């Protein structure tokens, strides 16, 4: 530490904390646990987990990816997976990224006048009318719950000026998230040759999106009454994602379907402080397989608290400072998912800036 550094507080919160965890059982060749980094403003944690995985005979050609994604400071790793990096048509799960961009860059209480370019879009629709004025919020609910392709186009034009500019924002975000198997051609997921994603990438997008409280609220809403005038307008939007009606603890997120993409589902559920994200693509047993993944995750894993929030963990020596040492701890509690009944050996490495 520099000599002019002031150390008026006893606690110095960790800026980088690396946690290494190895479970003592065998690694399954079919379902290898992936390493996923979770970055925050204050800490970077990596966890390496190896464990046996049961196979799912019902997966068929499914592309699956269940991912712990709890609010707060968590360590993430993968549960069972299959073909998670393969490029697939994502259908309307594309709208997760559209929603994420809007949440980051727009005021959802703003209002927009619907341009003619957003009217008459094929597929699922809010049946927007040229010149109609709606809030961004109502358009988002129409896009996510009712899967309105026209709403996605309207939002893209509002945020990006043109659909093409907005799609560039989507692809820029893909790069910023470090995702290598996704490329978007439109904001709604209608089929295009170079419009693709993967189960892994969709899980990572969803994890990022669920950090936004409005997205989380939106994705888990069962029904929304939009402020639209006229008896012929579609005011009520019912969520097509059946998980929030059928699965205990379900919290969202989005379904999708086209003939080329098949049935696609990104879903999340939370129980006992642990939230999982599951992704299946081109899966005719979409809901059943997601529920099986959730059941496996909740039955097999517990959250293990590694560090309490703002609790002293070690004392670190200070060179040329006003004090000889400083107490170190994590600003947020640190939680690690661990297989039930398995001993987890954890070592902590502190890298203090």
């Amino acid at each position: 530490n520099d000599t002019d550094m002031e150390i008026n507080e006893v606690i110095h919160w960790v800026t980088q904390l690396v946690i290494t965890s190895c479970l003592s059982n065998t690694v399954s060749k079919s379902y290898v646990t992936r390493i996923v980094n979770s970055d925050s403003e204050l800490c970077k944690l990596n966890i390496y987990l190896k464990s046996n995985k049961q196979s799912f005979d019902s997966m068929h050609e499914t592309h699956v990816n269940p991912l712990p994604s709890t609010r707060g400071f968590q360590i993430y790793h993968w549960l069972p997976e299959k073909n998670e990096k393969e490029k697939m048509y994502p259908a309307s799960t594309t709208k997760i990224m559209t929603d994420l961009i809007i949440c980051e860059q727009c005021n959802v209480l703003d209002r927009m006048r619907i341009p003619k370019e957003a009217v008459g879009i094929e597929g699922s629709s809010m049946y927007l009318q040229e010149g109609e004025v709606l809030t961004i919020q109502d358009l988002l609910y129409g896009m996510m719950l009712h899967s309105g392709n026209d709403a996605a186009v309207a939002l893209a034009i509002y945020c990006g000026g043109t659909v093409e500019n907005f799609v560039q924002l989507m692809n820029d975000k893909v790069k910023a998230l470090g995702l290598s198997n996704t490329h978007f051609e439109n904001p709604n997921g209608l089929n295009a040759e170079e419009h693709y994603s993967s189960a892994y990438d969709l899980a990572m997008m969803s994890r990022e999106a669920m950090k936004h409280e409005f997205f989380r609220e939106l994705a888990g809403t069962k029904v929304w009454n939009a402020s639209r005038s006229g008896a012929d307008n579609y005011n009520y939007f019912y969520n097509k994602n059946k998980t929030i009606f059928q699965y205990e603890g379900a919290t969202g997120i989005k379904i999708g379907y086209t003939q080329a993409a098949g049935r696609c589902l990104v879903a999340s559920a939370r129980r006992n402080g642990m939230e999982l994200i599951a992704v299946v693509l081109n899966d005719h047993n979409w809901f059943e397989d997601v529920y099986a993944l959730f059941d496996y995750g909740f039955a097999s894993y517990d959250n293990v608290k590694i560090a309490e929030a703002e609790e002293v963990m070690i004392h670190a020596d200070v060179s040329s400072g006003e004090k000889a040492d400083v107490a170190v701890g994590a600003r947020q509690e640190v939680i690690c998912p661990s297989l039930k009944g398995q001993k987890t050996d954890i070592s902590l490495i502190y890298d203090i800036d």
Side-chain angles (χ1 to χ4, degrees), residues 13-68:
W13 303 119
V14 176
T15 56
Q16 184 179 32
L17 171 64
V18 179
I19 297 182
T20 304
S21 171
C22 290
L23 302 181
S24 56
N25 58 340
T26 313
V27 181
S28 166
K29 189 173 182 180
S30 299
Y31 297 107
V32 180
T33 306
R34 298 296 176 186
I35 301 165
V36 180
N37 294 335
S38 172
D39 295 317
S40 77
E41 216 174 38
L42 297 164
C43 303
K44 182 170 74 175
L45 289 83
N46 300 328
I47 185 163
Y48 303 83
L49 296 176
K50 296 182 179 180
S51 62
N52 237 353
K53 300 292 183 287
Q54 71 179 50
S55 63
F56 286 85
D57 294 334
S58 62
M59 288 307 169
H60 308 291
E61 295 303 314
T62 305
H63 298 251
V64 301
N65 210 349
L67 167 67

Side-chain angles (χ1 to χ4, degrees), residues 72-74 305-310 330-335:
F73 194 57
Q74 278 260 348
K305 187 176 292 186
I306 307 303
E308 294 283 355
E310 301 190 1
R331 184 175 296 279
Q332 301 170 326
E333 68 176 12
V334 181
I335 299 172

Side-chain angles (χ1 to χ4, degrees), residues 58-307:
S58 62
M59 288 307 169
H60 308 291
E61 295 303 314
T62 305
H63 298 251
V64 301
N65 210 349
L67 167 67
S69 177
T70 320
R71 280 182 288 180
F73 194 57
Q74 278 260 348
I75 304 167
Y76 302 95
H77 73 287
W78 300 105
L79 306 186
E81 60 197 7
K82 180 180 179 181
N83 303 330
E84 77 284 357
K85 299 291 184 72
E86 185 172 342
K87 295 175 181 177
M88 304 283 290
Y89 293 129
S92 283
T93 61
T94 297
K95 293 163 184 166
I96 296 168
M97 178 59 83
T98 302
D99 196 344
L100 174 57
I101 299 296
I102 299 297
C103 285
E104 289 184 341
Q105 301 198 18
C106 301
N107 183 342
V108 299
L109 298 181
D110 284 350
R111 302 171 70 84
M112 75 166 293
R113 189 174 300 277
I114 302 302
K116 64 179 180 180
E117 293 86 354
V119 176
I121 306 300
E122 66 176 292
S124 297
S125 178
M126 281 182 64
Y127 301 100
L128 295 175
Q129 299 176 18
E130 183 179 354
E132 181 181 6
V133 178
L134 290 97
T135 64
I136 302 306
Q137 177 176 252
D138 281 341
L139 287 166
L140 284 169
Y141 276 101
M143 180 183 74
M144 290 294 285
L145 274 62
H146 193 64
S147 207
N149 292 331
D150 50 355
V153 172
L155 289 165
I157 293 171
Y158 173 81
C159 183
T162 65
V163 170
E164 292 74 19
N165 287 345
F166 185 81
V167 170
Q168 185 60 54
L169 293 176
M170 296 171 71
N171 288 318
D172 288 345
K173 187 65 176 180
V174 167
K175 292 179 182 177
L177 292 173
L179 308 178
S180 57
N181 293 301
T182 295
H183 183 266
F184 294 119
E185 290 286 309
N186 59 63
N188 49 33
L190 290 174
N191 289 332
E193 188 67 28
E194 292 302 311
H195 188 100
Y196 55 81
S197 189
S198 68
Y200 175 96
D201 286 6
L202 286 166
M204 298 298 285
M205 290 177 221
S206 300
R207 190 187 78 178
E208 182 69 18
M210 290 291 270
K211 294 177 183 178
H212 295 268
E213 288 299 325
F214 180 74
F215 181 97
R216 178 176 286 276
E217 178 184 341
L218 177 67
T221 297
K222 292 181 178 179
V223 61
W224 178 257
N225 183 11
S227 298
R228 302 178 75 179
S229 60
D232 294 333
N233 284 335
Y234 291 78
N235 295 344
Y236 286 91
F237 306 132
Y238 295 89
N239 201 326
K240 294 182 178 181
N241 179 5
K242 296 189 296 183
T243 60
I244 62 173
F245 299 96
Q246 296 179 343
Y247 193 83
E248 181 183 352
T251 54
I253 300 175
K254 188 73 186 78
I255 70 165
Y257 173 81
T258 64
Q259 187 172 1
R263 294 172 177 169
C264 304
L265 174 60
V266 180
S268 59
R270 182 182 180 89
R271 292 181 185 174
N272 300 320
M274 177 183 290
E275 186 167 44
L276 305 179
I277 291 175
V279 182
V280 294
L281 302 175
N282 191 22
D283 180 11
H284 63 279
N285 289 320
W286 48 348
F287 288 100
E288 293 84 356
D289 285 343
V290 160
Y291 298 162
L293 288 166
F294 282 156
D295 288 345
Y296 171 80
F298 289 125
S300 303
Y301 284 80
D302 276 327
N303 275 337
V304 176
K305 187 176 292 186
I306 307 303

